[in-house]
Amino acid sequence: MQSQRQNEVTQVCPQGCFPTLMFNSSSPQSHNMTKPRNSSSECRHNFAATTTSSIFPNTKFTNHESLPSLQESLNEFNKVYPQYPETEQVDKVRAKEYYHLSFSNHTCLDYIGIGLFSYYQRQQLQHNDASKTQLASSSTPPQSPQGYSDIPFFSIAYKTGNLKTLLLHGDYESGFESAMRRRIMKFLNISENDYFMVFTANRTAAFKLVADSYPFQSSEKLLTVYDYESEAVEAMINCSEKRGARAMSAEFSWPRLRIQSTKLRKMIESKRKKKSKGLFVFPLHSRVTGARYPYLWMSRAHENGWHVLIDACALGPKDMDSFGLSLFHPDFLICSFYKVFGESPSGFGCLFVKKSAISVLEASSIAGIVNLVPEKRLHQQSEDSSGTDVENEKKSAASSLQEDELASLTSFSGRLQTTRFEGEGKREIEAPALQIREVPADILGTQRPVENLQDSETGRFYIEYRCLDQVDSLGLRMITDRGRYLINWLVNSMLKLKHPNTEGAPLVNIYGPKIKFDRGAALAFNVFDWKGEKVEPVLVQKLADRNNISLSYGFLHHLWFADKYAEKKGRVLQSKEGKGQDVTVNKKKERDNLGVTVVTAALSFLANFEDVYKLWAFVARFLDADFVEKERWRYTAINQKTIEL
């Protein structure tokens, strides 16, 4: 298995660690070592040049009605990227497991990584909410599997505990939790010999756990590398500063938003010699702009006495295969399984702590750690009234305290697979993201209760995660290539939209990387009217939602402007509230409050060409000078909140 994984990485390493194949890659038999290969830089250059010159060459679109049709655009897309049809297995998975994406005619571009719940999960949500209107269509959707309503739940149970004690001495772990942990670590290619894993309520909870346990009294610096405002990172900074940390941030050069390397190097390579300088928090790429960052920064931080926390939440579903964990050895790693497991479109986070880094942590009683509890056990615990009145009062008080502390944390419930036996055989009933894997009858016997579906000798549960297994079956190369083609076509097509005036002013401004071989599948942009004024991102997002397209909006900050962009700086920067500010302020807090609010789109592994085409066609509507005013009037007419520009 490892050799197969390494072979995939050799072909598609997004960081260019290995030679990378591009268009018209030959079959495995033709990968002859005697033939010369293009270097990584040549591949990147050729990809960008081909994309720029082949997609709508020498063309600009000044009217949304002049856009080529979906089919015409797809035909040209396949000519530019002839390998795209080879990713049709993704379309098959989407058609079978995520039928509602087409059935509801909704385009989901507000998620990244794995994070989309399946059709069967959506069906159960509708089943649980009888008042929800069924989707109208002339076609008939797949029927829910037989016996689905009888599948038992599991839930997240919050607890307050000591992270260091938990890591050093362990805690009770059910067979179900153990099976989930092993599967997740295998999926992420993380060794149980090197790392401990802790379930957390969500991404923010994982960041706060580290902030509350890290020794900022002796290693006082916290250095983060984010070009956008992140709720989880802000929570970590606030927590750390209360504990004595000195928070710093990398800056990003306008307009490409590349890391300002000279400044970051100085912050990392402080001449002050110290056993540990602090905590370096590094995302492998931006989940807003799609910028990928050189892994060199991790090594440089380690060499200069920093502990390193890797934020892997924005990675694609198979990117950990090409990360090289054994080469960089981060002390902490955080990932999020938002919208992956369970019946509800929610999820949980995972915190990985390197075993050699546990001794660094301080003991502290903190919230955010969770257990995964089958519903039956959860009800037994809640209904158990044994114990003295004093004990029960203490339990009630602790529960109330936990509810207050964790009010902002996300909980969810999911469904286990039901397996039924017929004689000596058995059949499996399909379910959402999580299900019991087929187990030989000689292990389980016949008529064995569903809740005891585990190996009687090893005690291990046999669990299958539909989404993770789907991703594993598709592989790194297919997922990476598909995302690369789609996001670069979208970027190039957005840049072809021009206002119909003599200057040909662009309709869209893209922040961060543009057409680039190794950019991530996320895009930050703004729409500007014919007068050059920005259309507020919140309005773009609301209008997109009205057109069945899910987008988000974010806030870019820590921007650095060279002297030649001084005039631009005054026009670009705004406060978080959207008001222009005096950009000459010197106070750190006031500077941090300045940035650019942007519309964001993100593609997951299930995105297809129709998704990006629909976004392009929607944005092109803003070429019509009356479009925004018409839509604002409609929102007002149906008693929606009016957005003031």
Side-chain angles (χ1 to χ4, degrees), residues 6 38 104 106 126 170 186 191 373 428 491 493 502 531 557:
Q6 288 174 345
N38 288 336
S104 61
H106 199 97
Q126 293 175 337
K186 179 182 178 182
S191 170
V373 184
E428 183 175 284
V491 169
S493 300
T502 54
K531 295 179 290 186
H557 64 171

Side-chain angles (χ1 to χ4, degrees), residues 44-71:
R44 285 159 170 70
H45 174 76
N46 292 340
F47 178 89
T50 302
T51 297
T52 303
S53 62
S54 302
I55 298 175
F56 308 129
N58 304 315
T59 303
K60 65 178 181 179
F61 299 99
T62 59
N63 188 319
H64 70 278
E65 295 179 349
S66 67
L67 299 186
S69 68
L70 170 62
Q71 189 58 52

Side-chain angles (χ1 to χ4, degrees), residues 583-643:
V583 297
T584 61
V585 294
N586 294 316
K587 292 182 180 180
K588 180 179 181 300
K589 291 293 184 183
E590 293 178 357
R591 291 199 306 270
D592 290 347
N593 190 50
L594 295 177
V596 181
T597 305
V598 295
V599 184
T600 66
L603 314 182
S604 190
F605 77 101
L606 290 168
N608 62 17
F609 181 77
E610 186 175 358
D611 291 335
V612 294
Y613 178 86
K614 284 183 176 179
L615 175 59
W616 182 51
F618 163 73
V619 172
R621 295 288 304 277
F622 288 86
L623 290 169
D624 180 356
D626 296 328
F627 176 71
V628 176
E629 291 303 323
K630 289 178 181 178
E631 294 297 337
R632 178 189 287 146
W633 179 86
R634 289 179 183 176
Y635 266 107
T636 304
I638 58 176
N639 297 320
Q640 294 286 343
K641 181 179 179 181
T642 302
I643 305 298

Side-chain angles (χ1 to χ4, degrees), residues 88 377 592:
E88 64 178 355
R377 272 187 52 202
D592 290 347

Side-chain angles (χ1 to χ4, degrees), residues 463-475:
I463 299 177
E464 181 181 44
Y465 302 84
R466 296 185 70 85
C467 191
L468 302 193
D469 289 345
Q470 290 160 8
V471 168
D472 277 339
S473 69
L474 297 172

